[in-house]
């Protein structure tokens, strides 16, 4: 991980999964609104998608863990060097631990989708645990580094902790698109912040490195994370507009006569949506 | 912002919006109580007011951002001075960031009022985010200043954070006037505390400036913020009494014969109100 | 307050109100269980008690405020000494501020009981605010004192903060005796801890004063507060047993024939009580 | 407690009770799913089990308290040595206090199971209080020790605090297996972490002791606690699989003809289970 690539890989992962979840969440919400039109067997589809998602998450976590272990100079599954009397590559083991919990989340996703007796909220709990464990490990991760390095990681801890907290709250609040989008926006922010950490600590362009002890840089990164979040919110808004437009245009083409009914239905449901 | 005026402007803004929200919240509550008398098409009115509110908030946020950028000595949209190799006016950019999120909140208010498919709770979420972002930026805002300067800003952070937290809780608790008034009281407190910061750091009367390292001043400001809050509570109580009296007197004039029925209705509804 | 008496007075106040609330809460719960027997017009009684309670609380808060202001050596309503250029008796003003918020709570109790249009939860909100303000002021109260003095006050802050938090949670959870007893137990603990602070800082028996810098004393006070809480729990349990026994024995005397019915009713209601 | 045995005893206790609660919680959930088949009077059984559990917990707490007081070199119920002018064995008294609150929880369990008028949630509140008191005492427990010793105890405080918090949340969320399993998993983690503390501070194998000031050890223990938790989750998953398989195979043997009906019932209930 101690490189730009090491931060870009999880960043890309969280950005992709965040965008995918945004699309899925908004699709689900739009389908639910137009529930009288069953132009697609959406429930069965979502079920199969859930399993696929679980497999992809497990695959990504495995890739991450194997990558951390078997890169040149990695620990190669050795934890303690008895000759030297010291721990081997604890940073790598930290990253493995975080990946492992996301793997567990993927496994629970697959199990909850295939075994019907399992409570569905288990997946949400595992997501919350994976995020909180990530925040906990990252919190104890940056001992003895420079002030700016610690600061960018503390911001990451804050983001991940908030994401975990919102996922935990979701356990008790069902089918609330607002809170779901909040959690997803924090996941997306996490992804884009991984890139920012990469840019700060391992500048790509070969330009002058950031001064790690200058307090002005901290002042800038404070607002930088807010701009990332504003950008995230705008991205989600754009996806919302696009998905809603897509669904409406496809509905119009497949069943133009029903549109009039739909509009009335929408207005009726409005008061329920507030719940 | 580094002046009395810079603190008075947002202070005035938050005081005005706080008082307006108090009036609106109590009006809504009183109308709901007398729901059998439809002397005013209140729902449509509230809807149009919502849009107007959004436009005013966006306007105020734009004014704030432009003011911060183009005051004499402001950054003029320059973020980094490549010649000097340093950030330009980061304080100004901090304030812009905070204003921007309130602007986003205004935009979401307009969108949620005009586009019917959007969930209404999105506005509340954006208010909560705007307040929490403000608290976060303010928390990292006062590096290297005097102890009293930091203390008054930390109190502001506490107030803003609590307001954001209550706005977040409101996402899950619907139509509860108590919690709504709590959030509004914290917004009002924020406004009046902005003035207090202005008075402490930039005394108007030309009298002796406050000693920024005297701990007794901290001891006083600790209770001063409580007095501000007590004053806020009394203001809200006065508005409540006035609005209730106004509505009742207008109701009496417009439909004197229904009053007897109303009184019974009130007593019946009483047990529901507790919910 | 800087004496044993100054700590014993609020301690007594909180102990008395805690014990009274325990009795009232358990009475209410027991009456509700035996709701088929209306041997007492309990609802109207509780209503009048509420007003009386409010008047007593306002009276106590006024006494506390006047006492703080007009004791010999008190501030006599002077806040700033312009000759000396310093604040007058800020400690006294701190205590006044705390008393004032409890007074506000009493006023809101009277208003909510007399004016029917006011939401009842307002009283609970004001109680929560009074406790949180107390915790906030106490937190900033002990600057520059010895380590043990700070520690006992920090424990007080913790207790008061938890009581305020539980009162805030009660806003959303209605008619739950468990959470109500939890809040009352923390109020009782506050009262008994006031006495403990008095004993530690101003020993009565003329014996050797506590060593304010010995860390062993902190270790002891850590468990001492737990013992106080255990004692509080046992007191509440004893009151519960006594009140339940009293109500049952009076019920038996007044309507012996209904007892058989009551027993069945109890068993039926059992599953509802869990809610 | 200052030995391996002193940490192994509570560790074993929490592991055993955690495993037992896992089995009970999953059994209850499975029985509830197959509620149409009353092959066992499960409700009465659970009731008797509850009382037995209470008695066992009280017994264990008493054993712990007596052990702490009357081990060779223990305080023998002496709190203050007036000759020496110092507290006697405060560590032992700390442990006694923690055991005492678990004893109170056991007593409340017995009372709530035998006296029908007591609210059942009282037991959950007492469990939450016992855990939070344990966290509070442990937090103030490690003054003046080495950095690694403090760190492992702080992790314990975190685990116990989270368990207490989840138990508190359970007061408001009824019959949710996910949140119940979360609390149990934290109890199990607590048990296994007691063993880890024993291994770190009092190595059994006579090998080289852990370096208490080496920061690499902290880095390792950070992920070690995560591995313990992953292990806990896997154990709970295994118990879930085993219990579900056991119940199904016994159901099949006792009422093979009903299986077809059961399967349908399961599928119908599925949507309710999510609640």
């Amino acid at each position: 991980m101690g490189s730009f690539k090491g931060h870009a890989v999880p960043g890309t992962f969280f950005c992709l999964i965040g965008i995918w979840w945004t699309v899925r969440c908004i699709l689900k919400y739009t389908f639910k609104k137009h529930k009288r039109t069953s132009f697609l067997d959406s429930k069965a589809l979502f079920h199969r998608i859930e399993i696929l998602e679980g497999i992809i998450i497990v695959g990504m976590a495995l890739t991450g863990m194997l990558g951390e272990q078997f890169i040149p100079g990695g620990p190669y599954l050795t934890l303690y060097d008895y000759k030297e009397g010291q721990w081997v590559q604890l940073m790598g083991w930290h990253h493995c631990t975080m990946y492992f919990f996301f793997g567990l989340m993927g496994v629970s996703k697959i199990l909850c989708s295939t075994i019907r007796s399992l409570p569905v909220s288990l997946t949400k709990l595992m997501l919350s645990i994976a995020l909180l464990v990530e925040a906990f490990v990252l919190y104890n991760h940056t001992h003895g580094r420079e002030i700016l390095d610690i600061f960018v990681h503390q911001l990451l801890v804050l983001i991940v902790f908030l994401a975990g907290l919102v996922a935990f709250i979701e356990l008790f609040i069902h089918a609330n698109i607002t809170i779901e989008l909040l959690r997803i926006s924090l996941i997306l922010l996490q992804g884009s912040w991984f890139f920012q950490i990469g840019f700060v600590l391992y500048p790509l362009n070969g330009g002058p490195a950031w001064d790690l002890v200058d307090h002005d840089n901290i002042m800038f990164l404070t607002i930088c994370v807010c701009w990332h979040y504003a950008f995230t919110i705008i991205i989600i808004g754009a996806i919302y507009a696009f998905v809603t437009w897509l669904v409406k245009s496809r509905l119009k083409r497949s069943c133009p006569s029903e549109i009039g009914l739909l509009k009335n239905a929408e207005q009726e449901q409005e008061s329920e949506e507030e719940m």
Side-chain angles (χ1 to χ4, degrees), chain A:
Chain A
M1 264 238 189
S3 64
F4 181 78
K5 226 180 75 185
H7 286 88
V9 169
T12 314
F13 169 68
F14 282 114
C15 282
L16 285 180
I17 206 151
I19 287 171
W20 159 238
W21 278 348
T22 314
V23 172
R24 200 189 61 168
C25 166
I26 294 168
L27 266 182
K28 220 171 187 169
Y29 177 72
T30 319
F31 280 170
K32 219 166 137 197
K33 279 211 120 156
H34 302 296
K35 62 186 161 201
R36 296 191 195 177
T37 67
S38 56
F39 78 104
L40 198 76
D41 191 6
S42 57
K43 194 151 191 186
L45 186 70
F46 276 124
H47 189 254
R48 249 169 289 154
I49 283 169
E50 201 83 347
I51 295 175
L52 190 69
E53 225 177 70
I55 291 167
I56 289 169
I57 289 170
V58 171
M60 281 184 162
L62 274 178
T63 316
M65 285 165 77
L66 294 175
E68 283 294 335
Q69 289 292 333
F70 300 109
I71 45 164
Y76 289 94
L77 298 178
T78 322
L79 181 60
Y80 195 77
D81 186 342
Y82 286 96
K83 275 187 216 152
E84 303 271 340
Q86 65 184 20
W87 302 100
V88 179
Q89 295 273 356
L90 276 177
M91 290 296 111
W93 283 100
H94 274 207
H95 304 143
C96 274
T97 307
M98 297 188 236
Y99 282 126
F100 180 69
F101 273 84
F102 280 97
L104 270 186
M105 193 262 278
V107 169
S108 82
K109 201 156 205 154
I110 299 171
L111 290 177
C112 286
S113 303
T114 46
I115 302 170
R116 309 196 71 163
S117 74
L118 277 170
V120 173
S121 51
L122 224 60
T123 310
K124 276 191 185 156
L125 180 65
M126 287 308 298
L127 174 61
S128 173
I129 287 173
L131 288 166
L132 292 176
V133 163
E134 191 193 342
F136 169 74
V137 173
L138 280 172
Y139 182 77
N140 291 294
H141 194 59
T142 52
H143 182 257
R145 301 202 196 164
E146 295 292 353
I147 175 176
L148 191 74
D149 195 345
I150 291 174
F151 185 74
V152 289
H153 279 92
Q154 271 178 345
L155 289 182
L156 189 63
V157 168
L158 180 69
I159 296 164
V160 177
F161 174 73
L162 288 177
L165 204 67
V166 173
F168 185 73
I169 291 172
E170 265 189 280
L171 273 179
F172 312 112
I173 313 286
H174 295 281
N176 186 325
I177 192 187
T178 313
I179 200 80
E180 212 166 326
L181 285 179
L182 176 64
R183 190 242 302 153
I184 292 167
S185 73
L186 288 165
I187 300 269
L188 271 171
L189 177 59
Q190 191 193 161
S192 87
W193 194 248
F194 262 115
F195 276 99
Q196 185 68 43
I197 294 179
F199 285 127
V200 169
L201 300 185
Y202 314 97
L204 270 188
N205 53 4
W210 291 53
D211 184 353
L212 290 180
V213 292
D214 183 9
H215 199 272
D216 263 13
N217 284 333
I218 286 185
M219 285 297 206
F220 169 67
L221 287 166
T222 296
I223 45 175
C224 185
V225 69
C226 298
W227 297 352
H228 275 258
Y229 196 48
F231 186 66
T232 301
I233 291 171
I234 291 164
I235 290 278
I236 290 178
I239 295 176
Y240 189 98
F242 178 71
V243 168
T244 314
W245 168 81
L246 202 77
V247 169
K248 275 195 181 159
S249 70
R250 290 204 61 178
L251 277 179
K252 213 178 278 175
R253 222 182 304 153
S254 61
C255 47
S257 61
E258 279 188 87
I259 291 296
L261 290 166
L262 268 170
K263 273 190 185 150
N264 292 335
E266 260 175 67
Q267 283 157 27
E268 280 167 37
Q269 284 168 15
E270 203 189 40
S271 54
E272 298 166 47
E273 235 76 57
E274 316 305 88
M275 291 302 286

